Amino acid sequence: MCGIVAHIGSRDCVPILLEGLARLEYRGYDSAGIAVLSRSGEVRVHKAKGRVADLAAGLPARFKGSPGIGHTRWATHGEPSDVNAHPHVCGPIAIVHNGIIENADELRAKLSVDGAVFASETDSEVLAHLIAASSADDLEEAVRQALTSVVGTYGIVVLDARHPDVIVAARNGSPVVLGLGDKEMFVASDVAALVRYTRQVVHLDDGEVAAVRADGFVTSTLDAQTTIKKPSTIDTDAASYDAEGYTHFMRKEIHEQPRAVERALRGRLDSRFHTAHLGGLNMDARQLREIRRVLVLGCGSAYYSGQVGAQLIEDLARIPAAAEPASEFRYRNPVVEADTLYVGVSQSGETYDTLAAVQELKRKGGQVLGVVNSVGSAIARECDGGMYLHAGPEISVTSTKTFTATAVAFALLALHLGRIHDLSPADGRRIIAGLHAVPGQIEEILAGEQHVADVAAELANAKGMFFVGRVRGYPVAREGAQKLKEVSYLHAEAYPASELKHGPLALVNPELPTVAIVPSDELFDKNLSTLGEIRARRGPVIAVAHTDLDPKLADHVIRVPKNEPELDPILLSVPLQMLAYHAAVALGNDVDKPRNLAKSVTVE
Ligand code: G6P
């Protein structure tokens, strides 16, 4: 969602801000803006509804300066417009803000009594007025004073025309990262905006304020206690943030899956005891034996990969396991049990609903592990332990390689739990061999991309589609439908194949294709019966299967190599990603930035 980038140093910061904002585009936004301190010491602001390219194209002549702050905005309070875009200015103060100020109306009313006039409808502008109203001499203290009256979440960067040698950043619930350069410093909400300039970063914690100067930074708490921060090195190379010759990040990330799976597995398979080695769980075998139930929480694709994960845990460890949308869980006053293991799943590690669910669990004394891609993110830090995916940055809004890597991480967790319980060494060996085979098998599926693209081109004309799968195939179907909706905007609904005859079959007709997940497992014959039911109503069928099927049952078969039945969902999902991608391309959609969606949903 919203993105922040800021720079302080001797060079003109405008190109850095524009480049940084372009790097944050993938998160989703509807307007953008920058503010710089000009040579004559005045704050100059340029904002525009639409893309960063529109902002750059409309830049006034000689728009230069330093320091500077920039922002991409996803509208929450107030419609997307030039006026509501950030930075917001009040006198010498300019600010950019991510997050939501919950008591904005109250603060606005108070400030108005004192004569404040607001230009925008945003909650963020209130911050600029509060800081400008402070009587403190230095900017850091003014920011601190202002923040003491604020209720809500924020990641902010503030510029003050009276203090050209400093910018001040602060964080509460919305990420802020400092980038350390050579006689210059950067601030951003996401390392993606920084990797071109520096690999050395410092993540602010909630309740921290940073005074950032060209030659360094000082961090402190809201009550002015100095904090000590150790810089860390970004472990992914800058190229991971580039499309590297691919037309879209989504396709690049689909093709990165064999390597992403290898990274997720690296160093984690223990061939001696036929189990998984997961040092980050921070739970020993005895503690894990106490677990009676597993509940996986996540949103969107993270939730569906959690469903695959819950099934793996039940299959391999025989522990009752389920997945639930974190966005629902957090609002239903959940009963938190001491012997349940809760697992929060998130690519970004920032999704607010998932973070709130994890925080609610922690508050109630629940045991929470994180399965997270983004290192050092809020959810990762909030959990008691967990597993990083190591899938590398995922830029396309639609999750692909992190869905797969999450399912693989759950296979490792399930194997580990299984071997602590009753999974035999022979079965452990079988699963390890299966996991080793996954990267090569994904390569095989990717080699069949043209066939999937041809099928997708045909499906792109459909008005809607069903996705059906049984048991292990059901979360695969749900994720397939989600992918198609997200990028092709075609209506897609997923059902358990077994449920078709209990209602949705009424809709099957020659105009409504069904994508069916038909693995060669113990439910194969049941799935063939489902196909028969659909064909009897002349419904078109696209089957994702391990074998060729009777042409009477399916118009197209997309073949996937067979693995162990428990691991099959990981592979069955891959062609559905390609199907959604190619349908979206055939329809001419903006694949990497689908309408109405953001990569990290950091608001409620
Ligand atoms: C948003 C995105 C989805 C994503 C979900 C969870 O809704 O549009 O594609 O699956 O967030 O994101 P997370 O970063 O928590 O995995």
Side-chain angles (χ1 to χ4, degrees), residues 299-302 345-349 351 397-399 486 597-599 601:
C299 299
S301 295
V345 181
S346 177
Q347 184 288 126
S348 61
T351 300
V397 164
T398 310
S399 152
E486 283 182 320
L597 296 178
K599 183 72 181 159
V601 182

Side-chain angles (χ1 to χ4, degrees), residues 105-180:
D105 290 346
E106 189 191 310
L107 292 170
R108 189 184 274 262
K110 273 194 203 150
L111 288 157
S112 300
V113 170
D114 297 333
V117 178
F118 293 90
S120 77
E121 304 156 88
T122 67
D123 55 336
S124 310
E125 192 186 352
V126 168
L127 289 171
H129 283 264
L130 274 179
I131 297 166
S134 164
S135 55
D137 292 338
D138 70 287
L139 180 60
E140 197 185 347
E141 188 49 34
V143 169
R144 254 196 220 105
Q145 274 182 11
L147 292 178
T148 50
S149 50
V150 163
V151 179
T153 55
Y154 52 79
I156 57 168
V157 188
V158 187
L159 180 74
D160 185 339
R162 296 161 301 182
H163 301 288
D165 62 328
V166 67
I167 51 177
V168 172
R171 169 191 168 132
N172 184 42
S174 213
V176 176
V177 192
L178 312 184
L180 282 51

Side-chain angles (χ1 to χ4, degrees), residues 321-343:
E324 183 178 338
S327 44
E328 287 283 294
F329 175 85
R330 57 176 293 221
Y331 287 117
R332 66 172 178 81
N333 190 21
V335 178
V336 174
E337 296 158 311
D339 55 4
T340 295
L341 179 66
Y342 297 90
V343 187

Side-chain angles (χ1 to χ4, degrees), residues 1-4 18 20-33 48-56 71-76 80-81 85-86 98 397 590 592-600:
M1 302 192 95
C2 303
I4 286 176
L18 292 175
L21 292 182
R23 296 283 161 190
L24 298 179
E25 285 193 298
Y26 78 96
R27 301 169 62 90
Y29 70 107
D30 42 48
S31 54
K49 186 178 162 191
R51 297 289 184 206
V52 173
D54 303 326
L55 181 82
H71 193 259
T72 47
R73 171 174 187 256
W74 173 278
T76 54
S81 69
H86 299 214
N98 286 355
V397 164
D590 188 351
D592 287 332
K593 297 188 218 57
R595 70 181 183 205
N596 305 343
L597 296 178
K599 183 72 181 159
S600 315

